[in-house]
Amino acid sequence: MKNMNMKLNTIALIIAIAFSVWSSSCTAARVSHWRKLKAAASATSFNVLDYGAKGDGHADDTKAFEDAWAAACKVEGSTMVVPSGSVFLVKPISFSGPNCEPNIVFQLDGKIIAPTSSEAWGSGTLQWLEFSKLNTITIRGKGVIDGQGSVWWNNDSPTYNPTEVMLESNGRLPSTKPTALRFYGSDGVTVTGITIQNSQQTHLKFDSCTNVQVSGISVSSPGDSPNTDGIHLQNSQNVVIYSSTLACGDDCVSIQTGCSDIYVHNVNCGPGHGISIGSLGRENTKACVRNVTVRDVTIQNTLTGVRIKTWQGGSGSVQNIMFSNVQVSGVQTPISIDQYYCDGGRCRNESSAVAVSGIHYVNVKGTYTKEPIYFACSDNLPCSGITLDTIQLESAQETKNSNVPFCWEAYGELKTTTVPPVECLQRGNPSKEGGINSNIDSC
């Protein structure tokens, strides 16, 4: 019996030793695996602080951003980190390809501020932060891009001379104002979560980009800040903008020539100039915009609600546009098509125009302060295919305005009764429809 107990104790000891060795081995394996994962993450994560950024809001961190990008650019699926809790002063910079690997993430959780001294801007530049010729690039996070634009906006004061520039403590700022954040020639662009504020001019621009998604962002600048568009699209296709708040001094969303398959929804706009297609056709240029949907948006305290604006003398077309479920409040003119757009100065009367056709308004409701509907269309190329369905617009004034909708050479159909009645819209198609079709075909 005693020998039996000794054997059992020996077996138990062996099992305990084996378990201890196995457990230690597993722990070591887990530690090794964790270290490998950490090393792998470290190999694909590039924090600007590790490249010499100070993040104190005063030191010039441009080189650190350039170096971190140069490293991230070489690694597919890499992440460039701008950490929270720091403020980074960055001069004009381009994060560019086309030789960068795809699927790069720019993780913005800190704050990037633009310089206000003249030395940083030289003779002028068209953009401050640029991402160029990239394949699948994402900017995400809870961080802020601050253009510190107030030192530029005063250039547009009534006494401003465009041949000169504004006096600033360190000299003179150039008259060319930069866009805060621009994407150029890139495919698969995502911008989500960030805030862009106080841009020198346009806040966010996409030029010659495809497959773009913008969501959950905030744009913020005063309503009287000049030319500070929220989001500007140009020569870009397959763009979705949603779940964002845009407050600025110009168009909340500006859709320019070369854009198609644009979808804007669940956006809050105001203050600003509303959501616009155009201006198009300036200086006798050809402009083509098609397949745009704007729906489930709220627009308040803006110059216009949903607008199409073209210059006389242009060519090309705007076609297949849908504005639906638009709630307006205190908007000067909620619905507008203006083919006589003229931004400052005197504009000549010209016979050619950008053709406007297939424009649909569904469920546009709320209050206006100037006029409910304004359709000023070309004598030679009238607007065609306008439809109005469930329109209910009332004056916001305590004493109700007597303003009635304005139409000139506007053709289409009332799908339902409207408030106010739109008696000026001509039924059917214009007799000059051949010229409209010719312009559409040219696009």
Side-chain angles (χ1 to χ4, degrees):
M1 189 69 178
K2 185 176 181 180
N3 290 338
M4 180 66 70
N5 288 337
M6 288 180 64
K7 288 181 180 180
L8 290 174
N9 288 340
T10 301
I11 293 170
L13 179 60
I14 291 170
I15 292 172
I17 292 171
F19 179 79
S20 177
V21 171
W22 174 82
S23 179
S24 297
S25 175
C26 287
T27 300
R30 284 196 296 270
V31 169
S32 176
H33 181 64
W34 177 81
R35 285 175 176 168
K36 287 179 180 178
L37 287 176
K38 185 178 180 181
S42 178
T44 60
S45 180
F46 303 90
N47 192 316
V48 294
L49 293 177
D50 295 333
Y51 289 83
K54 300 298 182 186
D56 60 7
H58 300 288
D60 180 3
D61 289 326
T62 308
K63 189 175 187 306
F65 274 65
E66 290 173 341
D67 291 346
W69 175 259
C73 170
K74 299 173 184 177
V75 180
E76 182 175 355
S78 63
T79 300
M80 178 172 165
V81 178
V82 182
S84 61
S86 298
V87 179
F88 302 93
L89 177 65
V90 178
K91 293 178 180 178
I93 186 172
S94 180
F95 304 101
S96 61
N99 298 319
C100 287
E101 294 295 326
N103 301 307
I104 297 177
V105 174
F106 190 96
Q107 183 70 37
L108 175 60
D109 292 316
K111 185 175 185 179
I112 303 174
I113 62 173
T116 56
S117 62
S118 59
E119 294 89 353
W121 300 99
S123 60
T125 179
L126 295 177
Q127 54 272 327
W128 168 34
L129 307 175
E130 180 186 46
F131 289 81
S132 174
K133 299 181 180 178
L134 297 166
N135 181 13
T136 318
I137 174 69
T138 297
I139 293 187
R140 70 185 186 194
K142 299 178 180 179
V144 175
I145 293 172
D146 189 341
Q148 303 202 101
S150 61
V151 297
W152 299 79
W153 302 332
N154 292 335
N155 287 4
D156 287 280
S157 66
T159 58
Y160 171 59
N161 183 342
T163 64
E164 296 181 355
V165 284
M166 193 192 92
L167 281 173
E168 214 257 337
S169 59
N170 293 356
R172 294 176 182 270
L173 287 168
S175 57
T176 300
K177 301 179 186 68
T179 290
L181 177 60
R182 179 190 187 227
F183 290 86
Y184 172 73
S186 297
D187 176 66
V189 181
T190 300
V191 181
T192 182
I194 67 171
T195 294
I196 310 172
Q197 64 190 31
N198 301 320
S199 176
Q200 304 90 337
Q201 190 164 267
T202 299
H203 287 79
L204 175 59
K205 179 182 288 188
F206 298 94
D207 189 354
S208 302
C209 292
T210 53
N211 302 310
V212 175
Q213 287 202 38
V214 179
S215 67
I217 75 162
S218 174
V219 165
S220 177
S221 64
D224 61 354
S225 55
N227 301 311
T228 53
D229 290 41
I231 301 175
H232 180 102
L233 307 176
Q234 184 171 324
N235 295 314
S236 294
Q237 299 83 42
N238 298 317
V239 178
V240 181
I241 301 168
Y242 64 99
S243 302
S244 296
T245 298
L246 310 174
C248 56
D250 210 299
D251 296 327
C252 293
V253 179
S254 171
I255 301 169
Q256 300 291 323
T257 185
C259 289
S260 62
D261 302 310
I262 311 298
Y263 183 25
V264 179
H265 67 95
N266 297 98
V267 165
N268 185 13
C269 164
H273 291 183
I275 296 175
S276 297
I277 296 174
S279 62
L280 303 172
R282 186 172 187 173
E283 297 179 348
N284 306 106
T285 56
K286 177 180 174 180
C288 300
V289 175
R290 62 182 172 84
N291 302 343
V292 175
T293 297
V294 177
R295 63 181 290 269
D296 299 321
V297 297
T298 58
I299 304 174
Q300 62 276 331
N301 304 319
T302 57
L303 182 68
T304 62
V306 288
R307 170 170 61 162
I308 299 171
K309 48 183 177 177
T310 71
W311 294 74
Q312 294 184 75
S315 61
S317 67
V318 177
Q319 57 176 313
N320 192 23
I321 311 298
M322 169 65 77
F323 300 111
S324 69
N325 299 340
V326 179
Q327 183 69 41
V328 297
S329 176
V331 172
Q332 285 190 31
T333 307
I335 294 174
S336 174
I337 299 176
D338 185 1
Q339 286 188 284
Y340 298 90
Y341 181 74
C342 179
D343 185 14
R346 295 182 179 180
C347 297
R348 294 183 306 168
N349 287 327
E350 300 196 45
S351 59
S352 63
V354 178
V356 176
S357 64
I359 316 299
H360 309 288
Y361 302 90
V362 179
N363 196 31
V364 182
K365 298 181 178 181
T367 60
Y368 65 91
T369 61
K370 184 180 178 183
E371 57 195 346
I373 295 172
Y374 181 81
F375 292 144
C377 300
S378 168
D379 288 322
N380 290 318
L381 280 177
C383 302
S384 67
I386 296 172
T387 64
L388 297 172
D389 184 343
T390 318
I391 308 299
Q392 186 170 350
L393 298 169
E394 299 180 353
S395 172
Q397 311 299 328
E398 291 184 7
T399 57
K400 297 295 184 181
N401 284 345
S402 60
N403 290 332
V404 295
F406 173 83
C407 307
W408 180 261
E409 292 292 343
Y411 289 77
E413 179 184 1
L414 300 179
K415 296 288 188 179
T416 64
T417 57
T418 62
V419 177
V422 186
E423 298 173 352
C424 59
L425 183 67
Q426 301 184 62
R427 306 300 187 265
N429 296 314
S431 59
K432 302 168 185 176
E433 196 170 16
I436 297 171
N437 291 334
S438 176
N439 273 31
I440 291 173
D441 293 341
S442 74
C443 285

